[in-house]
Amino acid sequence: MTTGSRHGGQHSSPTPRVRLVDVAREAGLSKTTVSAALNDTGRLSPAVREKARETARRMGYRPNATARQLRAGRAKLIGYVVGEMADAPAVFLESPYFARLTGATAATALRRGYALVLLPAGSLQSEWSELPLDAVIVTDPGADDRIVDDVLAAGIPVFSDRSVEGRPGAYWVDVDTGAAVRATLDHFREQGARRPVLVVPDSTTRFHAEVFAAHREWCAEHGLPERVVRVAEPGNGPVVRAVETALTGALAAGGEPAGAGDRPGAGDRRGSGDGPGAGDRPDSGDRPEAGDRPDALLVVAEASPPLVLGAARRLGYDVPGDLLLACVSEDVTAEHTEPPVTTLSLRPEAIAEAGIEHLVRVLERGSREPLGAVVPTRLDIRASSVRQH
């Protein structure tokens, strides 16, 4: 059966693929010179290198990906999984942290010639085993997450956080969580706070376990009671309700919210979702006595800083007069509130850069050392956590 074009004629022949030799002929250069220019190798002058590249762009030259893969023995594909969001796979790109981490990872990988393949959290091995993945990045895996075990069992290198340290074929990039939490709590103490409260996800990731441990140790060192509200699902609304619980003082001994079975939600270090409704606001009659009111609040479960600030104000807190406020957040709106909100940044772009550079060293140079790297965090102190003396 023959087919014609929409205008009744025969289909035109496909445009011939531009070859490397065609580019060389057009540029008046040798094929070897053009190849070196496009692969950023050889000792060429900037002018010659740019001439070859510009000619290739103008002619629409594309390297033969299949031939490159055969020569290199790699498909240049990297799997990417957000392990922490296994129960809410559609949510993570609504999180400023994960959105920035994912975007920066994809951009950095592409600059190094690799493409990112987004794998849904909780994927079965049968769903990705046929893909020619050179490596898999697993961000924030939970303690019971099988993806790391499955990928390593398939003989594919894994790049993740420090929870994979010591496992053959696994490499890590992480932050010094303990130091970051301590720096924030020390800042609160320097500003006169003595009753800080922590709002942290009820999560099994290494990051959140270390946040909780660092807070516990810091409180013990300073002879202060632990005030903790754990939250169980992602979203602005659940996190703000947890903040309201923290600020009404409805905390049981041991750092758990009173009525642990009715914990307010918010399940990760970053967040998304709708704001709280009027029905979520606690009764003003539940507010603690003035001498027991929290005087500092560290929100690790990610939520919109303006919404957190608004929750404190609805409960009668002046920020920073009554309450010092800091959020673990990459949300740029923190800079534009009144007062601007102090944020602890995990620097997702720096994590992405360090992770991809590490990955390329392993895949292309066979480098096995170092097995991991620590990226410094950044505490951006703003008016919400600074008292006027």
Side-chain angles (χ1 to χ4, degrees):
M1 176 178 176
T2 60
T3 58
S5 70
R6 288 181 300 172
H7 303 291
Q10 295 297 314
H11 283 302
S12 60
S13 300
T15 303
R17 187 183 186 95
V18 177
R19 301 169 301 168
L20 189 66
V21 67
D22 300 323
V23 177
R25 186 182 301 114
E26 179 70 16
L29 300 170
S30 72
K31 182 178 175 182
T32 301
T33 298
V34 172
S35 177
L38 298 183
N39 288 292
D40 203 22
T41 60
R43 297 182 178 180
L44 305 177
S45 70
V48 169
R49 197 177 298 276
E50 181 55 33
K51 181 179 182 181
R53 289 174 174 174
E54 176 56 34
T55 303
R57 282 193 294 267
R58 177 166 47 82
M59 296 182 69
Y61 170 74
R62 293 177 56 205
N64 188 315
T66 302
R68 279 192 167 188
Q69 290 172 21
L70 290 173
R71 287 196 299 271
R74 291 185 298 274
K76 296 277 190 160
L77 296 179
I78 302 170
Y80 183 84
V81 183
V82 178
E84 186 176 337
M85 294 293 192
D87 295 329
V91 170
F92 80 90
L93 285 179
E94 298 174 14
S95 152
Y97 174 82
F98 280 125
R100 289 173 61 171
L101 179 66
T102 302
T105 301
T108 306
L110 194 59
R111 286 197 300 270
R112 301 306 302 265
Y114 290 82
L116 219 59
V117 178
L118 191 60
L119 304 177
S123 299
L124 300 176
Q125 185 172 1
S126 60
E127 296 173 334
W128 52 260
S129 60
E130 297 300 317
L131 297 176
L133 300 175
D134 296 316
V136 174
I137 297 171
V138 182
T139 69
D140 295 314
D144 56 351
D145 197 332
R146 288 189 50 83
I147 186 69
V148 172
D149 293 337
D150 289 345
V151 173
L152 289 176
I156 301 172
V158 168
F159 293 77
S160 189
D161 62 18
R162 204 163 187 166
S163 64
V164 302
E165 186 175 19
R167 304 188 65 176
Y171 307 86
W172 58 268
V173 173
D174 214 330
V175 297
D176 189 341
T177 307
V181 171
R182 286 173 173 274
T184 308
L185 295 173
D186 285 344
H187 166 64
F188 282 164
R189 187 171 178 81
E190 289 165 3
Q191 294 297 312
R194 297 297 183 268
R195 297 181 301 279
V197 181
L198 176 71
V199 175
V200 64
D202 192 1
S203 165
T204 62
T205 68
R206 176 185 176 89
F207 175 81
H208 293 126
E210 291 189 344
V211 166
F212 185 77
H215 175 262
R216 167 169 285 178
E217 291 171 5
W218 187 91
C219 288
E221 289 171 8
H222 293 88
L224 299 176
E226 292 177 59
R227 295 168 177 244
V228 180
V229 173
R230 291 179 179 269
V231 288
E233 62 186 72
N236 275 320
V239 177
V240 170
R241 289 193 292 274
V243 167
E244 292 172 333
T245 296
L247 296 182
T248 56
L251 298 176
E256 296 292 348
D262 298 321
R263 290 176 184 172
D268 83 301
R269 91 170 96 158
R270 285 89 20 192
S272 61
D274 298 326
D280 300 318
R281 299 174 187 171
D283 188 343
S284 60
D286 293 333
R287 296 175 189 171
E289 296 297 326
D292 193 47
R293 281 161 59 98
D295 58 7
L297 176 66
L298 174 56
V299 182
V300 177
E302 191 183 44
S304 166
L307 292 180
V308 174
L309 185 61
R313 285 176 169 159
R314 284 196 303 275
L315 293 170
Y317 285 84
D318 173 69
V319 177
D322 302 325
L323 182 74
L324 304 179
L325 173 63
C327 298
V328 176
S329 179
E330 311 301 330
D331 192 334
V332 296
T333 62
E335 303 175 44
H336 306 291
T337 56
E338 183 52 47
V341 174
T342 292
T343 53
L344 175 59
S345 171
L346 305 181
R347 302 180 61 225
E349 289 82 5
I351 291 174
E353 184 76 27
I356 293 299
E357 289 304 315
H358 196 178
L359 183 151
V360 170
R361 284 197 302 271
V362 170
L363 294 182
E364 298 186 359
R365 305 174 200 168
S367 174
R368 296 295 183 265
E369 298 291 341
L371 296 177
V374 175
V375 174
T377 57
R378 186 183 68 244
L379 180 61
D380 293 317
I381 297 174
R382 303 188 179 98
S384 72
S385 65
V386 178
R387 289 205 172 108
Q388 299 298 322
H389 296 293

